[in-house]
Amino acid sequence: RDRIDAIEATRTVNIDNATIRYAYLSQRGFYPDDPFKANQDAYDVQIPLSNNQGDAFLGIFDGHGKDGDGCAIFAKHNLHKHVHGFVNARKSQTAAELTKEEVHHCITKAHVETNRTLRKNPKVDDSLSGTTAISVYFHGRRNRMTIANVGDSRAVLGQAVTGNLPESAAPATTSRNNLKAVPLSRDQTPYRKDERARIRA
């Protein structure tokens, strides 16, 4: 039981005109040669995101390497702060709602800054360790959702569908509504041609 960290029940919150239902469960892996290895997963729920009542941030971090747990926890405590900081700095320069490109730029800068400050942190050795980061940022009057991804953690949307699904797309369990899995992210790994090119550049 001490290997599992989970919410007791699904939570529902309202931000502006959107309703978010979320839950989390993290289970420490079992390693026969290291039975007390730390859980290297972390999650972050910021609803609302600081004083922005219409914004919310949810993130998942999967550490790897000797200090992967420290890297994941560092990202959990810092990424949302950098997202908030860069978004608010940009909002202070314009009266209009941020464009998709402006939001993407702010979130990219937040990830780069989180990585930069992690590298400088003397308490975490990230030389051979790191973490993935998959997050969703809800924002704006139109209830936009921006997905950000570093590494190979995934975001998937369960879309309610009516009628019969093809057998290959049929859900594993049946319920009142059938759900179709819709990927919201692409793995950032060297298996992708563009990522191999980026690494070699």
Side-chain angles (χ1 to χ4, degrees), residues 21 27-28 52 59-60 72 87 90-91 93 98 101 109 116 121 125 129 133 141 143 167 175 182 191 196:
R21 291 179 64 226
Q27 181 171 331
R28 178 170 57 87
N52 296 341
I60 300 285
V87 166
R90 183 66 191 117
K91 282 181 178 178
Q93 299 169 1
L98 298 188
E101 291 74 22
K109 286 174 67 174
R116 188 188 70 78
N121 188 316
D125 179 6
S129 300
R141 294 186 302 274
N143 302 124
E167 191 172 320
S175 63
V182 179
Y191 294 110
R196 287 196 304 274

Side-chain angles (χ1 to χ4, degrees), residues 7-190:
I7 195 169
E8 290 185 7
T10 300
R11 292 183 185 162
T12 302
V13 293
N14 295 310
I15 55 166
D16 282 350
N17 298 320
T19 299
I20 300 173
R21 291 179 64 226
Y22 71 91
Y24 54 81
L25 184 146
S26 178
Q27 181 171 331
R28 178 170 57 87
F30 178 69
Y31 300 87
D33 58 335
D34 190 2
F36 300 105
K37 183 175 181 178
N39 187 347
Q40 294 191 308
D41 300 337
Y43 53 85
D44 185 24
V45 177
Q46 299 293 326
I47 304 176
L49 178 58
S50 193
N51 59 345
N52 296 341
Q53 294 300 316
D55 292 4
F57 179 91
L58 295 92
I60 300 285
F61 311 96
D62 182 5
H64 51 267
K66 182 175 176 287
D67 287 329
D69 55 326
C71 294
I73 291 169
F74 184 91
K76 165 189 173 135
H77 290 309
N78 291 278
L79 180 58
H80 74 267
K81 295 175 185 174
H82 294 308
V83 169
H84 172 70
F86 285 118
V87 166
N88 273 8
R90 183 66 191 117
K91 282 181 178 178
S92 69
Q93 299 169 1
T94 179
E97 188 168 335
L98 298 188
T99 66
K100 180 172 79 170
E101 291 74 22
E102 288 174 317
V103 172
H104 286 187
H105 182 67
C106 290
I107 290 177
T108 299
K109 286 174 67 174
H111 281 77
V112 170
E113 182 64 13
T114 301
N115 186 62
R116 188 188 70 78
T117 53
L118 171 61
R119 303 252 337 149
K120 291 175 65 176
N121 188 316
K123 296 180 180 177
V124 183
D125 179 6
D126 72 337
S127 56
L128 294 174
S129 300
T131 184
T132 69
I134 184 83
S135 63
V136 57
Y137 171 46
F138 296 91
H139 55 94
R141 294 186 302 274
R142 288 180 281 179
N143 302 124
R144 288 184 172 163
M145 184 171 71
T146 300
I147 310 297
N149 181 47
V150 176
D152 61 358
S153 294
R154 295 180 181 176
V156 180
L157 175 72
Q159 181 181 36
V161 294
T162 56
N164 294 326
L165 290 171
E167 191 172 320
S168 61
T173 59
T174 57
S175 63
R176 189 184 320 169
N177 295 319
N178 288 327
L179 293 178
K180 176 182 176 184
V182 179
L184 299 179
S185 62
R186 290 176 59 212
D187 290 1
Q188 183 191 13
T189 73

